Amino acid sequence: MNLILIAIGCGLIAVLYGLFTSRQVLNAPAGNQRMIEVAGAIQEGASAYLRRQYTTIGMVGVAVAILVGIFLGPVQAAGFVLGSLLSGAAGFIGMNISVRANVRTAEAARTSLQGGLTIAFRSGAITGMLVAGLALLAISTFFYYLVDVRGLAPNDRGVTDALVALAFGASLISIFARLGGGIFTKAADVGADLVGKVEAGIPEDDPRNPAVIADNVGDNVGDCAGMAADLFETYVVTVGATMVLIALLVGGTPLHVGGLMTLPLLIGGVCIITSIIGTYFVRLGKSGSIMGALYKGFWVTALLSVPAIYFVTQLVLGDLNASVGGEPAGLDVGAQAKVGEFTGAFTGWDLFYSMLVGLAVTGLLVWITEYYTGTSYRPVKSIAKSSQTGHGTNVIQGLAISLESTALPTLVICVGIIVSYQLAGLIGIAFAATAMLALAGMVVALDAYGPVTDNAGGIAEMAGLEDDVRTRTDALDAVGNTTKAVTKGYAIGSAGLGALVLFAAYTTDLRTFAGDLGVAYADINFTLANPYVIVGLLLGALLPYLFGAMGMTAVGRAGGAVVEEVRGQFRDNPGIMEGSVRPNYARTVDLVTRAAIKEMIIPSLLPVFTPIVVFFVIRMVAGTENAFASLGAVLIGVIVSGLFVAISMTSGGGAWDNAKKYIEDGNYGGKGSEAHKAAVTGDTVGDPYKDTAGPAVNPMIKITNIVALLLLAALAGHGAG
Amino acid sequence: MNLILIAIGCGLIAVLYGLFTSRQVLNAPAGNQRMIEVAGAIQEGASAYLRRQYTTIGMVGVAVAILVGIFLGPVQAAGFVLGSLLSGAAGFIGMNISVRANVRTAEAARTSLQGGLTIAFRSGAITGMLVAGLALLAISTFFYYLVDVRGLAPNDRGVTDALVALAFGASLISIFARLGGGIFTKAADVGADLVGKVEAGIPEDDPRNPAVIADNVGDNVGDCAGMAADLFETYVVTVGATMVLIALLVGGTPLHVGGLMTLPLLIGGVCIITSIIGTYFVRLGKSGSIMGALYKGFWVTALLSVPAIYFVTQLVLGDLNASVGGEPAGLDVGAQAKVGEFTGAFTGWDLFYSMLVGLAVTGLLVWITEYYTGTSYRPVKSIAKSSQTGHGTNVIQGLAISLESTALPTLVICVGIIVSYQLAGLIGIAFAATAMLALAGMVVALDAYGPVTDNAGGIAEMAGLEDDVRTRTDALDAVGNTTKAVTKGYAIGSAGLGALVLFAAYTTDLRTFAGDLGVAYADINFTLANPYVIVGLLLGALLPYLFGAMGMTAVGRAGGAVVEEVRGQFRDNPGIMEGSVRPNYARTVDLVTRAAIKEMIIPSLLPVFTPIVVFFVIRMVAGTENAFASLGAVLIGVIVSGLFVAISMTSGGGAWDNAKKYIEDGNYGGKGSEAHKAAVTGDTVGDPYKDTAGPAVNPMIKITNIVALLLLAALAGHGAG
């Protein structure tokens, strides 16, 4: 039997799980009339935003698809379109479930905490399994079509270019969705808070605030749809790049290489099954710890994945002790095989251990993020404590924690790189990254749970439900802050490994097709002693900073527009504050929609055009070889700097948010105290950090890398093939 | 005549200028009894702090000197001691002038703005000329001693190692001084503001605040002494590394190489003269613009430096059209000489143009920093505007600007690298960096002017002088914020070029002495495709983040201690707030002193130990060749990330500070408005950014690089030589 079909089967199971579980969620009671009304407004706003966002992205997408078709060929263009459509679908479906689960979670929370947790987590799990399932289906069916239907050799140039184009489609949608959604959610959030909490003195989610629906819409389009597109992209790029690297690097017959290329797909497939099993373990224990319940699901999935991965590796490779072949001995990186270092060939066991490294890295990153963003540990407590002496010290301590939070993840990633490289070279690193992403279904489930509970709290407030409902949804929501940070740390951490794989694909591609590109590979100097490499590193490192600046500014500008809109509604219609007149929610949603769409375009195109501009400018001044060297350095520069920018922003932002929650739990004076006001400032600062600029760095890194690969393909004239 | 003697002569002229001008400053009237009393307290505190700081550093220094002596030899140890002592002297003398000029500036400002400007700028110029002069004297006399007295060949290993050891001495003192002084000044500033302005509601510099003297002491030990040590270090390292690189790279007889090695010294020498001339052009014009007056001095110096540099280049090289020799053709980086690229040899003209590139980079960096931190441009105004909607939006916009402010300097530095490299290869980059540093005398003068005016304002306030005195000193001080940011941008920008030079020294060293190190150079893989290089880049990039986190936390912690001390004094002695009892200033100064000294140790040792640990750990797991590759990558990683961290912190901090000033000038509601309160928060956040963590990144980068060079020397067993 063709092994790819197993992977396709697992992808279909994920989709079936989604359908089956959606039915369960949708069958739950949706609450009273007022709740249904509020939820309806959120649904409407979210759909309207996503429609406009996808229309805009669609226009960019069509243009890019045509360019891909012209420069690379129709199959590549088809890959691009497939990647885009499924990425969009993952976000769209996730958002659709999320906007229906929110009100049902609120209703269930009227009865019990477990009831609310069940609905919210199931809704998250649907998004999670759809993200992983659709991503796996995209790659495996496309690969199946190319190899088994079209009859191309698995390591044929047409196949690898098509896989890269598929990843490009996913990434391009993802950066728009992450950034557009991120700007929407934070502009609405910051705007609503500033004018509501600060100026008008009304509580969060008060129905009198005209921005309150926009704020709740934001949770769905940013934290749910944007995040889903992001993880879809990360999955497709990582698994796809692993397959491309195998095709480019591993010697042997096409049949042999093809077998190894299906392994990442099967790993993804079985881990969807272990993720589904894991979801059934998410239950409150005796301690009543919500985080504990979620982690139970995660750890069950991670542990079950070990034998599952062993099983499929055995299935694909047969004897795990036999040499799998391996990277060609003449490879740059294998040139100096030394004590304890990778020597060019590896066995099935080496691959298996590399994947265990990937799982261990995932577990450690989850644990570290929990430490930096959870309310039980030093970092968050230190920010809460420093809030006592004012806004300034809160922000200073938050920035210190955000800088510090990069240290342990970096060390873990470095150790992961070294160990997996020593086991099986670049292929080892690629499989470690694949194993990380194989858990995506479960990780996304944990994350997508967050916006549902956040919305549930909002609906409870707006519909005037009993206080203990809000208490229960708040408890669910606090955990959501940490799980959201966890996903971001995980995504960027996997990017750390994934970028190395992409860079290896870039250099291997260059070596293989140097002739077509009109250069001698030996003349391309990738050493740090080449000033053009340093220039590339600096320019690459600049990207996350510039991108971050644009994202932060966009939120500030759009948030300011919300403030003015809301002030205007209060002024023109005094009945709103008295509670006698319903504010015009839709107008605010529409305003934020237009602002977010406008603001997302330019920053999203930055990583698309930078590699192209760098290549052609350096080629002009210093020749083609140095242009390739400089471009390669841009790819490494963007990850080296992006890793730190992204981790510091996402962990720091999560820590600020939970420091506020920690004070609201009654520490340092509790709600309304001066410390609380300072903590609200920190939270506001952390918002665009953690939900707009920080997470969008991950797709940005990938796009830069993929555009470079496509540029190579276009320059080498693969379009003919 | 021996050309080095000219450089030594110029260094002596700088010292004479210092002596002569100090006399002028000290002869100015010191004001009334109360002013002299306040100034006395500041002097006493500053001297007490610096004594303790230097005692602590001295103990570390003696230990390190012994280690240098054991592992490298007595001459190297002597170099280390010389570098340390003169670095300390530059800071100490600068501080001593500054604490005497402050009160005289206040007194002169009673008569006229020009009077205050003259005293304050002269005091800054003394520090500036002493920094440049002593740095030049340190290198040139040491080089003269080694070559002309001891009779070593200029490119003898003993000479280059000794120059590196000299730079190490300067850097080690500098990081302690920058960080210790930075923690002191900001802990006192933040603490004084929080408890004074925020809690007690008394104005800045109010004599009732027990932390007010500590705050003024901080300006002198941080912004003056710390900055002077930093720039001394930057000068010695840059000029020293240029000489080392010439010795290692340029072929030809020792005599020929020796001639070229004196060129950087002469460049430094003549630019001291042009800087001294420039100082006499600092006068208020008709417009009364203080910034304009300072810039006049800077531009005169920069323009006069062009013919001066031409003159000495001609003097040293004779025919500028003749080939100077150049880098060996077999060099890594010269391996692929392509269109428009450096081809191994260069002429005097090439060197001259490279130095013009350095001057142009300096001018552009000054202009960009002015744009990002001056009150007349979009960035500062945008922060001020966003203050209207609260603390949160002020900080968000400030962070956005701080991220954005890295873009143009990075582009300028990249263009500078490319152009100077195309002119004369690595030597071209080295000379560009040297030309940048040659202007250090003038740049430091502009910077050291700042703390004097800041103190003058404080003294005016505490001594109860007329309001228009404070208005004049405030006008002088506002400009100081920008000039302070300018120096930091300049220092870190020069580090961007300088680090490349240091890295080139590292690789050339490795190649030359690979045999002694027991490796084959060809086996050391510095390409980006080597995962150990990526690991090195990531670990190097982590350093500025971790270091920044430590610096920020230290300020938060020490600032918190100040708050408690001041609260205690107010509580125990109610007469203080009534103005009937003088607070115990000395106790606060002593507290901050102890805190700053304690907090500076560990972060300062981070860059010393990291290269050593990385080398030995990677050697253990992946062999000596990969250890050298990884260590090399650490050096590049620390600059690639450090450049962004430092620029974003120093420019962002300056912008926050001036946004507050812009509001205080009457915009957006002026002093006391809600916008002003938000701007004060931003300013507080920016304080440790711009004055503690950010500027200390510059010496940190250098130390990492120098320790790596010394590690090579120690491993190769040069100690015998």
Side-chain angles (χ1 to χ4, degrees):
Chain A
M1 192 187 112
N2 190 320
L3 291 173
I4 307 177
L5 295 177
I6 299 179
I8 295 178
C10 292
L12 290 173
I13 289 175
V15 174
L16 287 177
Y17 171 88
L19 290 177
F20 172 75
T21 313
S22 321
R23 185 164 299 226
Q24 284 186 326
V25 170
L26 294 178
N27 280 341
N32 63 34
Q33 192 50 39
R34 176 75 188 121
M35 288 165 73
I36 293 173
E37 218 177 279
V38 171
I42 297 173
Q43 266 170 50
E44 205 181 294
S47 300
Y49 173 73
L50 277 200
R51 256 199 313 277
R52 283 184 59 168
Q53 177 181 280
Y54 284 132
T55 310
T56 310
I57 301 177
M59 288 186 291
V60 178
V62 168
V64 175
I66 292 171
L67 288 175
V68 170
I70 293 171
F71 285 105
L72 294 169
V75 178
Q76 286 76 3
F80 174 83
V81 172
L82 181 68
S84 320
L85 287 181
L86 286 182
S87 168
F92 206 83
I93 300 173
M95 181 279 291
N96 259 304
I97 292 300
S98 178
V99 293
R100 283 167 180 80
N102 53 10
V103 64
R104 291 168 172 84
T105 300
E107 176 65 19
R110 296 175 83 167
T111 324
S112 72
L113 187 65
Q114 175 70 56
L117 174 64
T118 303
I119 302 271
F121 180 73
R122 273 189 191 155
S123 153
I126 296 166
T127 306
M129 296 315 145
L130 282 179
V131 164
L134 290 179
L136 184 62
L137 279 175
I139 318 175
S140 50
T141 53
F142 196 47
F143 187 63
Y144 182 79
Y145 165 76
L146 293 169
V147 174
D148 289 81
V149 178
R150 287 277 300 260
L152 294 171
N155 54 358
D156 186 275
R157 189 70 209 181
V159 176
T160 55
D161 278 358
L163 287 176
V164 174
L166 177 76
F168 184 44
S171 291
L172 195 66
I173 297 306
S174 158
I175 195 166
F176 280 113
R178 239 320 176 192
L179 198 63
I183 294 170
F184 188 112
T185 181
K186 291 302 122 176
D189 190 357
V190 169
D193 281 3
L194 284 174
V195 80
K197 281 196 221 171
V198 181
E199 286 186 19
I202 53 180
E204 196 166 338
D205 293 322
D206 191 293
R208 287 170 295 175
N209 190 333
V212 71
I213 294 287
D215 186 10
N216 281 284
V217 167
D219 294 337
N220 294 294
V221 301
D223 299 344
C224 185
M227 181 274 299
D230 181 4
L231 270 289
F232 180 92
E233 176 271 348
T234 306
Y235 196 110
V236 170
V237 171
T238 308
V239 174
T242 301
M243 294 170 71
V244 169
L245 198 64
I246 295 171
L248 291 172
L249 269 188
V250 177
T253 61
L255 190 67
H256 174 85
V257 174
L260 197 56
M261 282 173 83
T262 58
L263 183 54
L265 298 174
L266 284 167
I267 304 291
V270 290
C271 288
I272 284 181
I273 310 296
T274 59
S275 296
I276 291 178
I277 297 172
T279 61
Y280 292 102
F281 284 80
V282 174
R283 298 200 64 79
L284 289 176
K286 274 178 204 153
S287 68
S289 155
I290 304 167
M291 200 73 208
L294 295 173
Y295 276 168
K296 232 184 294 171
F298 173 79
W299 290 116
V300 165
T301 299
L303 289 177
L304 285 181
S305 297
V306 175
I309 288 176
Y310 171 80
F311 169 75
V312 288
T313 310
Q314 173 84 49
L315 183 71
V316 172
L317 299 179
D319 180 5
L320 289 187
N321 287 306
S323 168
V324 185
E327 301 175 10
L331 205 64
D332 260 350
V333 289
Q336 57 285 347
K338 294 290 156 197
V339 196
E341 195 190 338
F342 174 65
T343 51
F346 47 82
T347 66
W349 281 114
D350 291 331
L351 288 184
F352 176 65
Y353 291 134
S354 296
M355 290 186 267
L356 293 192
V357 169
L359 295 181
V361 168
T362 305
L364 285 168
L365 290 181
V366 168
W367 182 79
I368 294 166
T369 313
E370 156 83 7
Y371 173 74
Y372 273 100
T373 60
T375 46
S376 324
Y377 306 98
R378 175 189 60 85
V380 167
K381 285 184 182 169
S382 75
I383 298 177
K385 182 158 184 270
S386 67
S387 309
Q388 291 174 287
T389 36
H391 302 265
T393 42
N394 167 290
V395 177
I396 290 175
Q397 185 60 23
L399 286 172
I401 293 296
S402 89
L403 293 169
E404 184 196 307
S405 68
T406 58
L408 289 177
T410 306
L411 291 179
V412 166
I413 290 165
C414 285
V415 171
I417 289 173
I418 292 177
V419 175
S420 56
Y421 180 73
Q422 294 213 342
L423 283 165
L426 291 171
I427 300 288
I429 298 176
F431 271 95
T434 293
M436 282 188 78
L437 261 297
L439 300 187
M442 179 42 101
V443 175
V444 172
L446 298 180
D447 186 323
Y449 144 96
V452 175
T453 60
D454 198 349
N455 259 236
I459 292 171
E461 188 81 30
M462 282 183 275
L465 297 188
E466 312 78 46
D467 278 355
D468 55 342
V469 179
R470 179 77 204 205
T471 310
R472 290 196 193 109
T473 58
D474 270 355
L476 293 170
D477 186 30
V479 174
N481 278 328
T482 298
T483 59
K484 271 164 64 181
V486 162
T487 317
K488 289 163 197 159
Y490 159 82
I492 187 74
S494 77
L497 295 178
L500 258 172
V501 178
L502 286 165
F503 180 75
Y506 173 79
T507 51
T508 318
D509 217 32
L510 256 182
R511 187 178 43 241
T512 316
F513 298 95
D516 300 348
L517 296 163
V519 292
Y521 183 71
D523 283 349
I524 301 173
N525 181 354
F526 277 118
T527 71
L528 297 176
N530 181 357
Y532 299 102
V533 166
I534 304 296
V535 166
L537 285 172
L538 288 173
L539 294 176
L542 172 59
L543 282 182
Y545 278 82
L546 201 50
F547 185 78
M550 288 175 171
M552 301 279 287
T553 312
V555 169
R557 201 155 36 205
V562 171
V563 169
E564 280 167 32
E565 159 69 18
V566 172
R567 280 181 186 160
Q569 289 207 24
F570 282 151
R571 192 179 48 235
D572 299 345
N573 206 335
I576 294 177
M577 270 304 277
E578 294 157 13
S580 60
V581 180
R582 187 68 58 82
N584 191 340
Y585 300 127
R587 215 171 73 192
T588 318
V589 171
D590 189 58
L591 172 97
V592 186
T593 298
R594 273 180 289 119
I597 303 269
K598 200 182 87 191
E599 299 277 2
M600 80 181 176
I601 308 274
I602 291 176
S604 298
L605 293 178
L606 188 68
V608 176
F609 287 110
T610 303
I612 301 173
V613 171
V614 168
F615 175 79
F616 287 103
V617 169
I618 300 287
R619 183 161 84 166
M620 208 167 62
V621 297
T624 310
E625 286 82 358
N626 282 318
F628 282 126
S630 216
L631 176 56
V634 168
L635 309 185
I636 295 292
V638 72
I639 176 70
V640 165
S641 141
L643 189 73
F644 292 93
V645 170
I647 295 180
S648 65
M649 285 183 169
T650 55
S651 290
W656 261 314
D657 198 341
N658 272 342
K660 186 191 70 173
K661 286 239 169 9
Y662 183 74
I663 291 179
E664 287 173 354
D665 289 346
N667 299 291
Y668 302 119
K671 258 189 176 169
S673 63
E674 284 302 313
H676 184 242
K677 281 182 199 155
V680 169
T681 294
D683 179 36
T684 310
V685 172
D687 271 344
Y689 241 48
K690 73 179 197 300
D691 290 324
T692 312
V697 167
N698 173 34
M700 195 204 67
I701 292 170
K702 263 60 150 292
I703 291 193
T704 317
N705 276 273
I706 292 170
V707 168
L709 282 174
L710 292 175
L711 182 66
L712 282 191
L715 289 171
H718 296 151
Chain B
M1 192 187 112
N2 190 319
L3 291 173
I4 308 177
L5 294 177
I6 299 180
I8 294 178
C10 292
L12 290 174
I13 290 175
V15 174
L16 286 176
Y17 171 87
L19 289 175
F20 173 74
T21 312
S22 319
R23 186 165 297 225
Q24 284 187 324
V25 169
L26 294 178
N27 280 341
N32 64 33
Q33 192 51 38
R34 175 77 187 119
M35 288 165 73
I36 294 174
E37 217 177 281
V38 170
I42 297 173
Q43 266 171 48
E44 204 181 295
S47 301
Y49 173 73
L50 277 200
R51 256 199 313 278
R52 281 181 64 164
Q53 177 180 280
Y54 284 132
T55 310
T56 309
I57 302 177
M59 290 187 290
V60 178
V62 168
V64 174
I66 292 172
L67 289 175
V68 170
I70 292 172
F71 286 106
L72 294 170
V75 177
Q76 286 75 4
F80 174 82
V81 171
L82 181 67
S84 320
L85 287 181
L86 286 182
S87 166
F92 206 84
I93 300 172
M95 182 279 291
N96 259 304
I97 292 299
S98 176
V99 292
R100 283 168 179 79
N102 52 11
V103 65
R104 290 168 172 83
T105 301
E107 177 63 19
R110 295 176 83 166
T111 323
S112 71
L113 187 65
Q114 175 69 57
L117 174 64
T118 303
I119 302 270
F121 180 73
R122 274 190 191 155
S123 153
I126 296 167
T127 306
M129 296 316 146
L130 281 179
V131 164
L134 290 179
L136 185 63
L137 279 176
I139 320 175
S140 52
T141 54
F142 196 45
F143 186 64
Y144 182 78
Y145 165 75
L146 292 170
V147 174
D148 290 78
V149 178
R150 287 277 299 261
L152 294 170
N155 55 358
D156 185 275
R157 189 68 210 184
V159 176
T160 55
D161 279 357
L163 287 176
V164 174
L166 176 77
F168 184 44
S171 291
L172 195 67
I173 298 305
S174 157
I175 193 167
F176 280 112
R178 241 316 179 193
L179 197 62
I183 295 171
F184 188 113
T185 181
K186 290 304 123 176
D189 190 358
V190 170
D193 281 3
L194 284 174
V195 81
K197 281 197 222 171
V198 181
E199 286 186 19
I202 53 179
E204 196 166 336
D205 293 321
D206 190 294
R208 288 171 294 175
N209 190 333
V212 71
I213 294 288
D215 185 11
N216 281 285
V217 167
D219 294 337
N220 294 294
V221 301
D223 299 344
C224 184
M227 181 275 297
D230 182 4
L231 270 288
F232 180 91
E233 177 271 347
T234 307
Y235 196 111
V236 170
V237 171
T238 308
V239 174
T242 302
M243 293 171 71
V244 169
L245 198 65
I246 294 170
L248 291 171
L249 269 188
V250 177
T253 62
L255 191 67
H256 174 83
V257 173
L260 198 56
M261 280 173 84
T262 57
L263 182 53
L265 297 174
L266 285 167
I267 303 292
V270 290
C271 289
I272 284 180
I273 310 297
T274 59
S275 297
I276 291 177
I277 297 172
T279 62
Y280 292 102
F281 284 81
V282 174
R283 297 201 63 79
L284 289 176
K286 273 180 204 152
S287 70
S289 155
I290 302 167
M291 200 74 208
L294 294 173
Y295 276 168
K296 233 183 292 168
F298 173 78
W299 291 116
V300 166
T301 299
L303 290 177
L304 286 181
S305 297
V306 175
I309 289 176
Y310 171 80
F311 169 75
V312 288
T313 310
Q314 173 83 49
L315 183 71
V316 172
L317 300 179
D319 181 7
L320 288 187
N321 287 306
S323 168
V324 184
E327 301 175 10
L331 205 64
D332 258 349
V333 288
Q336 58 283 347
K338 295 289 155 198
V339 194
E341 195 190 338
F342 174 65
T343 50
F346 47 81
T347 67
W349 280 114
D350 291 331
L351 288 184
F352 175 67
Y353 291 135
S354 297
M355 290 185 268
L356 293 192
V357 169
L359 295 181
V361 168
T362 305
L364 286 169
L365 290 180
V366 168
W367 182 79
I368 294 166
T369 312
E370 157 84 6
Y371 173 73
Y372 273 101
T373 61
T375 46
S376 325
Y377 306 97
R378 173 190 60 86
V380 167
K381 284 185 182 167
S382 76
I383 298 177
K385 180 158 186 269
S386 68
S387 308
Q388 291 174 287
T389 37
H391 302 265
T393 41
N394 167 289
V395 177
I396 290 174
Q397 186 60 23
L399 286 172
I401 292 296
S402 90
L403 292 169
E404 186 196 306
S405 68
T406 59
L408 290 178
T410 305
L411 292 178
V412 167
I413 290 166
C414 285
V415 172
I417 288 174
I418 292 176
V419 175
S420 57
Y421 180 73
Q422 294 211 344
L423 284 165
L426 291 171
I427 300 287
I429 299 176
F431 271 95
T434 293
M436 283 188 76
L437 261 297
L439 300 187
M442 181 42 102
V443 175
V444 171
L446 297 180
D447 186 322
Y449 145 96
V452 175
T453 60
D454 197 349
N455 259 236
I459 292 170
E461 187 81 31
M462 283 183 276
L465 296 188
E466 313 77 48
D467 279 356
D468 57 341
V469 179
R470 178 79 203 205
T471 310
R472 291 196 193 109
T473 59
D474 270 355
L476 293 171
D477 186 30
V479 173
N481 279 327
T482 299
T483 59
K484 271 164 63 181
V486 163
T487 317
K488 290 163 197 160
Y490 160 82
I492 189 72
S494 77
L497 295 178
L500 258 170
V501 178
L502 285 165
F503 180 75
Y506 173 80
T507 51
T508 317
D509 217 30
L510 256 181
R511 188 179 41 241
T512 316
F513 297 96
D516 300 348
L517 295 163
V519 293
Y521 183 71
D523 284 349
I524 300 173
N525 181 355
F526 277 118
T527 70
L528 297 176
N530 182 358
Y532 298 102
V533 166
I534 303 297
V535 166
L537 286 173
L538 288 173
L539 294 176
L542 173 58
L543 282 182
Y545 278 82
L546 201 51
F547 185 78
M550 288 176 172
M552 302 278 286
T553 312
V555 170
R557 205 157 32 207
V562 172
V563 169
E564 281 166 32
E565 159 70 18
V566 173
R567 281 181 186 160
Q569 289 206 25
F570 282 151
R571 195 178 47 234
D572 299 345
N573 206 336
I576 294 175
M577 270 305 277
E578 293 157 12
S580 60
V581 179
R582 187 70 56 83
N584 190 340
Y585 301 126
R587 214 169 74 191
T588 318
V589 171
D590 188 58
L591 172 98
V592 186
T593 300
R594 273 180 288 120
I597 302 270
K598 200 181 85 189
E599 300 277 2
M600 81 181 174
I601 307 274
I602 291 176
S604 297
L605 293 178
L606 189 69
V608 176
F609 287 112
T610 303
I612 300 174
V613 171
V614 168
F615 175 79
F616 286 104
V617 169
I618 300 287
R619 182 161 85 165
M620 208 167 61
V621 298
T624 310
E625 285 81 358
N626 282 319
F628 282 126
S630 215
L631 176 55
V634 167
L635 309 185
I636 295 294
V638 72
I639 177 71
V640 166
S641 141
L643 188 73
F644 293 94
V645 170
I647 294 180
S648 65
M649 285 182 169
T650 54
S651 290
W656 261 313
D657 198 341
N658 272 343
K660 187 192 70 174
K661 286 239 168 10
Y662 184 74
I663 291 178
E664 286 172 355
D665 289 346
N667 298 292
Y668 302 120
K671 258 189 176 168
S673 64
E674 285 302 312
H676 184 242
K677 282 182 196 155
V680 169
T681 294
D683 179 36
T684 309
V685 172
D687 271 344
Y689 241 48
K690 74 179 197 302
D691 289 325
T692 312
V697 167
N698 174 33
M700 196 204 67
I701 292 170
K702 265 56 149 297
I703 291 193
T704 317
N705 276 274
I706 291 171
V707 169
L709 283 175
L710 292 176
L711 183 65
L712 282 190
L715 288 171
H718 297 152

